[in-house]
Amino acid sequence: MSKQPSQSDGALAGCTIVITRPAGTGRALVKQVRALGGVPLLLPGLSLRAAADSAAACAQWGDAQHDDVLIFTSPAAVRYALALAPCQTQATVIAVGLATARALLRHGIHAQTPASRQDSEGLLQLPAMQQLQGKRIALITAPGGRGLLQQQIVSRGGTLREVHVYGRGAARLNKRHVDAVRQLPTTACVLLSSGEALEHLMQRLPEAAWQRLCRALAVVSSERIAEQARSAGFQRLRIAASAGQADLLTAVKEACSSPPHEADRTGC
């Protein structure tokens, strides 16, 4: 498990940290950044919403609990599913990462989690995901995404059920967001853990603001996100151990303590 950042070391003193978590979900990161002496800037890349047809989603969620394996793809999937109905299942429960596993544990549900990569690739390496022939696999998620899990579950012989308990969309950015980005110092760091959020920000920020954002150091959660960030225009990148806030902030702290040329080169 990742070590939590110290609450009093001031490692981020004066550094602006751009938080791109979905709207309404970045408060814990804001608190951590401030505790480390940094200046948080909320710039949501996504907006989350409950499923449009809650009755249908609730029925699908109930049916899924009779399947052999339940896979939760995010803390939001946990939150929205458990808001529909309690989880009463004998299935093997899998969480894509530690944050998702912790969200499940708050409801008394123990989940298997990848030991190394906390993403779809890591999840697919779990022993429970190797022999899927004849098994019913329920993916608790939102529409969209890469489709890697769906493709692999089917190719490994599993019967796939997708339960869309919530939806993702572009967050609403106002003048305050845009003005703050235009004034970003070049020493700022941008936390990126979603390719979809990255795309929304690129589409919705004015060109001048987007170019200003790209001058910051992008702290990304995986090599895949790093490739997207490079293609989008970021030239300075650092890859964190995972999308967890502790790992993202550890990567920021390491970047802030490194000589500029080393921080710029990391992950490139």
Side-chain angles (χ1 to χ4, degrees):
M1 183 175 293
S2 301
K3 181 181 178 182
Q4 290 293 327
S6 166
Q7 294 296 301
S8 59
D9 60 13
L12 304 183
C15 184
T16 299
I17 310 298
V18 182
I19 298 168
T20 63
R21 298 281 204 204
T25 68
R27 285 180 294 178
L29 259 175
V30 166
K31 184 177 179 181
Q32 287 275 17
V33 168
R34 285 178 176 156
L36 292 167
V39 180
L41 171 61
L42 286 170
L43 183 70
L46 291 170
S47 176
L48 307 181
R49 57 187 181 276
D53 190 339
S54 60
C58 188
Q60 292 166 7
W61 166 229
D63 291 341
Q65 294 187 47
H66 299 288
D67 289 343
D68 300 301
V69 179
L70 294 180
I71 299 174
F72 291 85
T73 61
S74 68
V78 177
R79 183 169 75 252
Y80 284 101
L82 274 294
L84 291 170
C87 183
Q88 299 174 331
T89 184
Q90 299 299 313
T92 297
V93 179
I94 297 176
V96 73
L98 290 175
T100 305
R102 284 193 291 266
L104 286 162
L105 193 57
R106 286 194 287 271
H107 294 274
I109 304 166
H110 294 266
Q112 297 182 23
T113 311
S116 52
R117 292 187 59 165
Q118 294 181 43
D119 55 16
S120 296
E121 286 83 355
L123 188 152
L124 287 165
Q125 294 175 14
L126 288 170
M129 295 298 296
Q130 302 313 304
Q131 302 295 329
L132 300 184
Q133 190 69 41
K135 290 187 177 180
R136 298 166 300 169
I137 318 297
L139 201 58
I140 316 303
T141 188
R146 291 189 291 155
L148 176 64
L149 282 176
Q150 293 90 327
Q151 179 186 34
Q152 285 297 311
I153 288 168
V154 172
S155 69
R156 295 179 185 190
T159 299
L160 174 66
R161 181 201 306 270
E162 289 193 57
V163 183
H164 297 154
V165 295
Y166 74 109
R168 294 186 297 260
R172 182 176 299 175
L173 300 181
N174 55 33
K175 185 176 183 297
R176 176 177 57 82
H177 291 113
V178 174
D179 288 346
V181 173
R182 283 175 171 158
Q183 296 171 30
L184 272 182
T186 55
T187 55
C189 294
V190 185
L191 307 184
L192 295 170
S193 56
S194 165
E196 191 175 356
L198 176 63
E199 291 176 5
H200 285 315
L201 290 172
M202 183 167 56
Q203 293 166 2
R204 295 197 167 239
L205 283 172
E207 180 63 21
W210 174 252
Q211 292 302 324
R212 187 73 180 188
L213 188 67
C214 287
R215 293 173 63 185
L217 172 69
V219 176
V220 302
S221 59
S222 68
E223 180 59 46
R224 178 179 62 85
I225 302 297
E227 289 296 337
Q228 287 186 260
R230 291 186 190 101
S231 298
F234 286 92
Q235 297 184 3
R236 298 188 296 137
L237 298 106
R238 181 173 284 264
I239 301 176
S242 78
Q245 70 177 33
D247 285 332
L248 289 171
L249 290 178
T250 294
V252 173
K253 290 167 66 177
E254 290 171 351
C256 290
S257 64
S258 300
H261 67 283
E262 290 186 12
D264 292 356
R265 186 173 62 243
T266 302
C268 293

